[in-house]
Amino acid sequence: MKYEITGTTKLTALLGSPVSHSISPQMHNESFRLLGLDYVYLAFDIKPEQLRKAVSGLKTAGISGFNLTMPLKVHILPYLDELTPAASLAGAVNTVIVQDGRLIGHTTDGVGYMRSVSDAGFDIIGKKMTLLGAGGAATAICVQAALDGVSSIDMFKRKNATWDKTAAFCERVASETGCNIRLLDIGDNSLLGDSISGSAILTNATSVGMEPKSDASPILDPYMLAEGLIVSDIIYNPRETLLMKQAKERGCPCFNGMYMLLYQGAAAFERWTGQEMPTDIIKEKYFS
Ligand code: NAP
């Protein structure tokens, strides 16, 4: 299909720092090309102190929407006119849509994660999740899992300076969604073992196991991983983390964060264009 940038081409973008390694420009531009949509997607290296000027300039230039990656997902909040309920609960935004000059903040990381779980062939609705980590990705997953109807979530993190803030987050999400959410100490192996033994899925949303420190796992005792437990690591670099190796040895089905990455992008694409990203083709081209 003919694909040309013209005087009417609509701009979408990724803002963050660093961004040069990101696969998002390929994934979006190829989807625009495949569907014959008059859009282009560019990556801009923007640091927190440059964000106000960048947003104002892009808005003036008529941008249709943009994604935010580290470290901007929270820094963007003061510049937005409205938040979706999920973004408001998560307190972070990875997708902005410009509607009639107003900036609407969405979060699609959680939607992308939940779609990656079903895509891997699992149904966790009405079941319990043990979630490791409480950073940007973990909170987005927690919110979407609770909204979608996961019955209970045990969120594990370190007892550090962000403990109280995370406890308040868990209370808020529990009271707004009806999901039973507990915040627990990741350093307590006995609590962790008990939680995992009652869960359908163990999700690693910490950065433990990510390159360049890929010889680490958030699970110190692999015997906690009972056969049949679904083990999901949202890390995608490396493609197979030490946690996934442990899971395989214990007979647990497992999958990495590649398709979460794909589906969070697909959800943003659908919000900008009103069309479905051709994920099967994009998967084969960039994610296999
Ligand atoms: P973040 O906001 O910096 O959060 C990092 C989390 O990891 C925090 O909860 C932190 O725990 C925990 N952590 C770090 N070191 C730890 C350790 N030694 N022991 C226990 N916990 C530790 O980062 P993020 O944006 O949420 O990203 C987290 C991971 O998810 C990264 O590996 C990232 O690449 C991946 N990710 C994947 C996707 C995808 O689409 N697949 C999307 C976003 C992120 P405390 O709260 O206890 O300090």
Side-chain angles (χ1 to χ4, degrees), residues 70 73 109 133-138 157-160 162 186 205-208 210 234-236 257-258 260-261 264:
M70 276 167 67
K73 290 182 184 183
D109 282 332
K157 76 173 249 79
R158 294 175 292 190
K159 275 218 155 169
N160 56 14
T162 53
I186 201 168
T206 72
S207 44
V208 179
M210 189 171 81
I234 71 162
I235 291 172
Y236 50 84
M258 285 301 280
M260 170 177 170
L261 182 67
Q264 62 76 30

Side-chain angles (χ1 to χ4, degrees), residues 47-274:
K47 299 192 169 49
E49 60 276 18
Q50 300 169 312
L51 185 60
R52 187 180 61 79
K53 275 190 180 167
V55 169
S56 162
L58 289 168
K59 196 174 156 186
T60 307
I63 194 164
S64 298
F66 52 93
N67 284 134
L68 298 133
T69 187
M70 276 167 67
L72 304 179
K73 290 182 184 183
V74 175
H75 288 96
I76 188 67
L77 295 176
Y79 309 117
L80 302 177
D81 297 300
E82 195 182 320
L83 292 177
T84 62
S88 166
L89 269 179
V93 159
N94 77 331
T95 301
V96 173
I97 301 170
V98 186
Q99 272 171 358
D100 305 322
R102 289 167 51 76
L103 303 186
I104 323 284
H106 296 240
T107 172
T108 67
D109 282 332
V111 175
Y113 178 72
M114 291 303 283
R115 189 168 166 194
S116 77
V117 175
S118 346
D119 195 69
F122 303 111
D123 178 6
I124 57 167
I125 304 309
K127 298 179 185 160
K128 178 176 169 185
M129 168 187 270
T130 298
L131 177 60
L132 308 181
T139 48
I141 290 171
C142 179
V143 166
Q144 198 60 45
L147 287 171
D148 287 359
V150 164
S151 66
S152 56
I153 301 170
D154 284 347
M155 179 179 252
F156 281 86
K157 76 173 249 79
R158 294 175 292 190
K159 275 218 155 169
N160 56 14
T162 53
W163 180 271
D164 290 346
K165 191 176 158 223
T166 309
F169 160 82
C170 290
E171 263 180 44
R172 201 169 59 246
V173 179
S175 91
E176 298 220 2
T177 62
C179 181
N180 178 18
I181 303 177
R182 300 191 297 172
L183 180 63
L184 300 165
D185 179 2
I186 201 168
D188 188 329
N189 239 20
S190 145
L191 268 181
L192 185 56
D194 284 350
S195 172
I196 292 175
S197 71
S199 285
I201 187 164
L202 167 69
T203 303
N204 178 36
T206 72
S207 44
V208 179
M210 189 171 81
E211 288 290 4
K213 293 187 180 162
S214 56
D215 58 349
S217 165
I219 295 297
L220 299 178
D221 176 5
Y223 287 94
M224 282 180 187
L225 310 175
E227 195 180 333
L229 171 79
I230 307 162
V231 176
S232 146
D233 200 327
I234 71 162
I235 291 172
Y236 50 84
N237 184 20
R239 299 270 174 114
E240 185 173 80
T241 59
L242 179 55
L243 173 63
M244 291 173 65
K245 290 189 183 114
Q246 293 170 321
K248 280 185 181 166
E249 276 166 21
R250 298 284 301 150
C252 303
C254 60
F255 58 97
N256 66 17
M258 285 301 280
Y259 292 167
M260 170 177 170
L261 182 67
L262 168 67
Y263 292 128
Q264 62 76 30
F269 184 93
E270 283 157 30
R271 283 161 176 75
W272 291 324
T273 65

